[in-house]
Amino acid sequence: MEHSEAFKELPKALAVFNQQLVQPKKTKTADAGKYKYSYASLDDVVIAIQRGMKDTGLSFIQDVTNVANGVQVKTMIMHSSGEYLCSSPFVLGSRGDAQSYGSAITYAKRYSLSTLLGIAAEDDDDGARAEAPNNNQRNSSRASSDQNKQAKPNTPQVSPQQAERIEKAIKSIKELVNKDSELQSMLAGYEKSAGASIASWDFENLAKAYTTLKDYKSKKVEQSSLQKNADQLLSSLAELVGKDKSALGTEILGAEGIDSSELKNLDNMKKYINAIGSRLKDAKEVKPAVNQAEQLADSQTSPVSDIAAQAAAQAKAFHEEAS
């Protein structure tokens, strides 16, 4: 199992996913001859996962590859932060005819996805139909055990319309990551974990990758805008209260319980900005009173000047406390 070098936000999102996940109902029944059992179809599993991933920033793609006597599936979980988690390859044997080949893909995709995300989906007859008649154990290493008797699985044909959609999707991804080294690095990581370049991906996986990359880019733009806003507010506050800007920022972060490394999280950045804005508002309200009291103290003689000086000192103390 592989994951991105940065691996902090995705585990948090998976924890939320696990809380939101409702296990799919086993609406299908299979007859294995000696016994019958129920299972959740691939569609049921995907729907359950999509609902569980709502508002988590998570998405997934699956790469299907032809191997000797069967198919190989790898599942990748992606997060809007750019982090990813990729399953180990799952290989399933196939007799090579169109039906067993399709069944092998269905079973392998469901098994890989369910295993990676903790979905309780029972095995169904897709796996049994996909394997050779005398091959009753699901062992991925058997798919290449007999090189002299390799079957040539039927590769699904792509229609001209599908090919055009795929071409457009690839073009959209390339345009999206163009001149953005961070997005290019993310895409390279996806390709490496999937074991194939986007040129060989199907449309569904291309669309998911594009959405994840686009969401990440949008958050980068928002993050940059928020950072600029925070910097401007902090400069105004530092000038108003007469403090070092950097030290003031550290002080506010500490008061809010936010580490500077956590400002990449948009919610933390917004919390930081609100804290700066609140202090700036209080400082602006107190500043005129401070100035007025100081002017009064300078212009009056004792004992009025003493009273004014005391008022000025109190106003200053409140001003400093507010900042």
Side-chain angles (χ1 to χ4, degrees):
M1 186 176 294
E2 302 174 4
H3 62 72
S4 54
E5 183 176 350
F7 198 63
K8 183 177 180 181
E9 299 302 323
L10 193 148
K12 294 179 182 178
L14 282 177
V16 177
F17 165 76
N18 287 328
Q19 292 177 345
Q20 296 182 167
L21 175 65
V22 176
Q23 292 289 344
K25 295 181 180 180
K26 300 176 180 63
T27 58
K28 305 294 183 181
T29 301
D31 188 346
K34 294 182 178 180
Y35 61 94
K36 294 182 180 181
Y37 54 92
S38 299
Y39 64 93
S41 68
L42 176 60
D43 287 343
D44 292 335
V45 170
V46 170
I47 290 173
I49 290 173
Q50 289 175 338
R51 290 173 177 171
M53 286 183 170
K54 185 178 181 181
D55 299 327
T56 63
L58 293 173
S59 60
F60 71 89
I61 61 174
Q62 292 185 286
D63 180 68
V64 180
T65 307
N66 294 337
V67 297
N69 294 330
V71 295
Q72 173 184 285
V73 172
K74 292 180 71 174
T75 299
M76 184 191 300
I77 307 301
M78 302 181 295
H79 186 254
S80 56
S81 65
E83 298 175 2
Y84 64 86
L85 174 67
C86 190
S87 70
S88 300
F90 178 75
V91 180
L92 190 65
S94 169
R95 291 191 294 271
D97 60 275
Q99 183 178 12
S100 63
Y101 180 74
S103 296
I105 293 176
T106 299
Y107 178 81
K109 289 178 72 173
R110 183 175 61 254
Y111 185 89
S112 177
L113 192 57
S114 298
T115 301
L116 190 60
L117 290 172
I119 306 297
E122 295 292 334
D123 296 340
D124 67 23
D125 62 337
D126 284 341
R129 288 201 311 264
E131 295 181 345
N134 296 323
N135 193 1
N136 294 321
Q137 291 183 330
R138 293 187 175 94
N139 188 324
S140 61
S141 64
R142 295 165 313 177
S144 59
S145 63
D146 189 352
Q147 297 296 327
N148 295 323
K149 297 181 179 179
Q150 289 186 8
K152 296 182 179 179
N154 295 325
T155 303
Q157 297 298 313
V158 178
S159 68
Q161 293 80 4
Q162 291 173 322
E164 184 179 358
R165 292 177 68 199
I166 290 174
E167 184 178 351
K168 288 182 178 179
I170 293 174
K171 182 179 179 181
S172 296
I173 290 177
K174 289 181 177 180
E175 290 176 349
L176 181 65
V177 305
N178 185 37
K179 297 182 180 180
D180 191 320
S181 58
E182 193 171 3
L183 288 181
Q184 290 171 359
S185 178
M186 285 174 58
L187 180 58
Y190 294 164
E191 292 179 321
K192 180 180 178 181
S193 295
S197 69
I198 59 173
S200 63
W201 291 11
D202 61 22
F203 178 78
E204 181 181 1
N205 287 332
L206 288 168
K208 289 178 180 178
Y210 176 82
T211 300
T212 300
L213 292 168
K214 185 178 180 181
D215 287 347
Y216 182 76
K217 188 169 186 176
S218 297
K219 287 188 176 182
K220 276 183 61 179
V221 172
E222 183 178 1
Q223 176 73 27
S224 177
S225 176
L226 289 174
Q227 182 63 58
K228 184 177 180 180
N229 188 17
D231 189 66
Q232 292 174 342
L233 289 174
L234 188 60
S235 294
S236 299
L237 179 60
E239 182 179 356
L240 192 61
V241 300
K243 287 187 176 183
D244 177 73
K245 178 180 174 181
S246 178
L248 184 58
T250 301
E251 176 187 325
I252 296 174
L253 287 173
E256 296 299 320
I258 303 174
D259 188 88
S260 58
S261 63
E262 297 175 332
L263 287 178
K264 291 183 178 180
N265 181 290
L266 294 180
D267 290 336
N268 287 335
M269 176 58 80
K270 291 175 182 178
K271 182 179 179 182
Y272 177 51
I273 289 175
N274 288 336
I276 299 174
S278 178
R279 292 193 180 207
L280 184 59
K281 179 182 177 182
D282 291 341
K284 285 181 177 179
E285 290 177 351
V286 173
K287 185 68 174 178
V290 174
N291 294 338
Q292 184 177 4
E294 288 179 337
Q295 291 173 2
L296 182 62
D298 292 339
S299 63
Q300 299 294 329
T301 59
S302 182
V304 177
S305 62
D306 293 336
I307 297 174
Q310 291 177 8
Q314 291 176 352
K316 277 187 175 181
F318 179 76
H319 174 60
E320 292 174 354
E321 181 179 352
S323 63

